[in-house]
Amino acid sequence: MTAVVLVGALLLHLTMMFLHLAPTNAVSLEQKERITGYVQPEFDQDWKLFAPNPLQRNESVGVRLRTSSPHVNDRTSKWINLTARDLAQIQGNPLPSHVHQNMLRRAWDTYVRSHTEGDRPDGPRGEVAAAYLKRVVLQRLGRRWRGEPITAVQVAGRYTEVPPPAWSKEKAPDTTTYRVLPWWRVTDQDYRGL
C-alpha cells in the first residue's frame, strides 16, 4: 500500500513538472492555476544562470525582530544579516547545501516579484510568497531570541551594484538601495512544521 502511494505521488510530481516545463498545450492551459500552485514557490526554476546579462548587483536579506517578556514589551533587535549567515554556513564547506545557498534568496525574489512597491500582492501568489518568506526567516531564527519569544519580524533587502572591473571605463556605482517590508506578527501557526 505504501509503495502504491509513493509511486502515485512520484507520478503526480513528474506530471506537474512536465506540464510546467513543456511548451504550452491544451492540458497546461486548462490546468494552469493548479500547475502553478503546485510548482510555486518550491519547485520554480529560472534560467538566469544562462542569461547573457546576469544581475550586476549584490543582494542581501536582513531581518529585525520584536520580542516580549513579562518585564519588557516589544523589544526591537538590531538588523541581522541572514544572507551573511548563510554564506558563513557554506564558505569552506566542500559540499555546501543547495538549500542553504538558495532558499532565502529565492524566497526574497519570489516575494519581490509578486508584490508591488507598496507591498500589495500582485495576484494570488502574493500571499503564499509572503508566508513562505516569513517561514524561511523564522526557520533561520527559531522561536526565541536571546531567551525571549519572537512576536514580530521585519524583513528588508539591500542592493549594492557590483563595481566594474579595473580595466573597464565604466564608472563605479556608489548607491545602495533598500526595500524594507512592513512588520509581520508571529504566531504559533507560523512555526507549524518547521
Side-chain angles (χ1 to χ4, degrees):
M1 180 64 178
T2 304
V4 172
V5 171
L6 289 175
V7 169
L10 178 64
L11 287 174
L12 173 68
H13 175 75
L14 292 174
T15 301
M16 291 296 216
M17 294 307 296
F18 173 79
L19 289 172
H20 177 69
L21 296 172
T24 304
N25 57 58
V27 176
S28 64
L29 284 175
E30 185 179 319
Q31 300 297 324
K32 183 176 182 173
E33 284 187 36
R34 275 196 181 140
I35 295 167
T36 302
Y38 178 81
V39 172
Q40 301 290 347
E42 287 85 0
F43 304 113
D44 187 27
Q45 297 180 15
D46 62 32
W47 303 104
K48 290 180 184 173
L49 175 66
F50 304 108
N53 189 15
L55 287 177
Q56 296 180 355
R57 66 182 185 183
N58 289 322
E59 297 181 5
S60 133
V61 179
V63 64
R64 65 180 176 167
L65 38 103
R66 286 192 180 135
T67 60
S68 66
S69 69
H71 310 295
V72 179
N73 284 338
D74 292 340
R75 186 183 320 220
T76 303
S77 75
K78 294 181 179 181
W79 286 99
I80 303 161
N81 188 334
L82 295 177
T83 301
R85 283 180 159 195
D86 281 1
L87 290 174
Q89 288 283 327
I90 63 171
Q91 286 178 339
N93 184 344
L95 299 170
S97 164
H98 182 70
V99 171
H100 233 90
Q101 293 180 52
N102 296 311
M103 184 183 288
L104 179 64
R105 179 184 57 81
R106 295 290 301 181
W108 175 258
D109 287 346
T110 302
Y111 178 90
V112 169
R113 284 184 301 177
S114 64
H115 283 74
T116 65
E117 285 293 325
D119 293 306
R120 293 191 185 275
D122 275 348
R125 277 187 15 165
E127 290 181 30
V128 173
Y132 182 63
L133 176 60
K134 182 179 177 183
R135 287 176 55 84
V136 168
V137 167
L138 292 175
Q139 185 181 39
R140 300 286 200 277
L141 298 172
R143 289 181 176 264
R144 303 177 80 75
W145 182 256
R146 298 190 174 155
E148 297 177 356
I150 297 171
T151 59
V153 293
Q154 185 178 33
V155 183
R158 181 182 69 209
Y159 308 101
T160 307
E161 298 296 321
V162 174
W167 48 263
S168 172
K169 294 183 180 182
E170 292 179 60
K171 184 179 177 190
D174 61 354
T175 58
T176 298
T177 57
Y178 298 89
R179 180 163 180 184
V180 181
L181 307 185
W183 282 96
W184 291 330
R185 195 169 67 86
V186 175
T187 64
D188 285 338
Q189 183 71 16
D190 295 319
Y191 289 102
R192 200 174 90 195
L194 292 183

